[in-house]
Amino acid sequence: MVEDNIKVFTNRIAGANRSELIVIIYDIALDYMNEAKTELENNEIEAYRLSIKRAKRCINYLSSVLNMEYAISMELLRVYVLMNNMCVRASIKVEGELVDALVRMLTNMKRAFVAIAKEDDSKPIMTEARVVQAGFTYSKNSINEIGTSIHMWQS
């Protein structure tokens, strides 16, 4: 994942509530899947497998945070297990069709959680983290970011 995307995801996570966090995890998984597609096209098999592995971690996280008190959670778990198995097969067989199918599944699942997140007016999980600062240096031909930090304070 490119550094700029990491910074964007970090800032989004800092201000997200629980529902928004799930949407962000879907976005991260989709980002890894799209990287895998590009790496496969460029015949970068090891990088492809690493991207699949990272997307699989996102899917595993989504399954680990299910609240099994709700009946829908069992159905979601089945979908996540299927997606997990598809990731394993995609990594072993190096098949772009599986990656495409996973992207479609993740996109459809994300769409449902986006609708849920729109109705969730709970507070951000990280209520104390909101100020983001970056330091810059500059030279004759460029500007360089030297650090990013999220400051905490009591609310």
Side-chain angles (χ1 to χ4, degrees):
M1 183 179 303
V2 286
E3 192 173 324
D4 289 342
N5 287 356
I6 292 170
K7 290 176 186 177
V8 169
F9 287 132
T10 301
N11 288 334
R12 285 179 61 197
I13 289 168
N17 63 25
R18 291 183 192 279
S19 299
E20 293 165 340
L21 182 59
I22 298 300
V23 172
I24 295 166
I25 299 300
Y26 274 104
D27 285 337
I28 293 170
L30 283 164
D31 198 47
Y32 283 132
M33 282 297 173
N34 288 321
E35 282 182 12
K37 286 171 61 172
T38 302
E39 291 157 351
L40 185 58
E41 290 168 2
N42 295 330
N43 204 30
E44 298 170 357
I45 303 306
E46 288 307 311
Y48 161 84
R49 287 188 169 130
L50 183 59
S51 292
I52 295 290
K53 179 180 179 180
R54 289 175 173 161
K56 185 175 168 284
R57 283 187 196 155
C58 294
I59 294 166
N60 289 338
Y61 174 79
L62 291 167
S63 66
S64 74
V65 297
L66 288 171
N67 184 344
M68 299 311 283
E69 293 177 15
Y70 300 100
I72 188 93
S73 294
M74 185 53 74
E75 300 304 318
L76 289 170
L77 181 59
R78 287 185 182 119
V79 173
Y80 293 142
V81 168
L82 173 64
M83 291 167 67
N84 189 12
N85 290 339
M86 289 172 70
C87 284
V88 171
R89 284 190 5 232
S91 182
I92 292 169
K93 294 186 175 189
V94 189
E95 289 185 16
E97 297 83 25
L98 286 170
V99 175
D100 292 337
L102 281 160
V103 167
R104 284 190 303 274
M105 291 174 76
L106 286 164
T107 300
N108 289 334
M109 297 282 290
K110 176 190 161 194
R111 198 173 294 133
F113 281 97
V114 165
I116 292 167
K118 285 181 181 176
E119 295 185 19
D120 184 356
D121 59 354
S122 61
K123 292 183 180 180
I125 296 170
M126 297 175 63
T127 57
E128 297 178 3
R130 289 305 302 151
V131 176
V132 178
Q133 293 182 339
F136 293 93
T137 61
Y138 59 93
S139 64
K140 194 174 197 177
N141 298 320
S142 67
I143 297 177
N144 302 306
E145 185 173 353
I146 59 169
T148 302
S149 62
I150 299 176
H151 294 278
M152 306 292 210
W153 74 87
Q154 296 290 337
S155 51

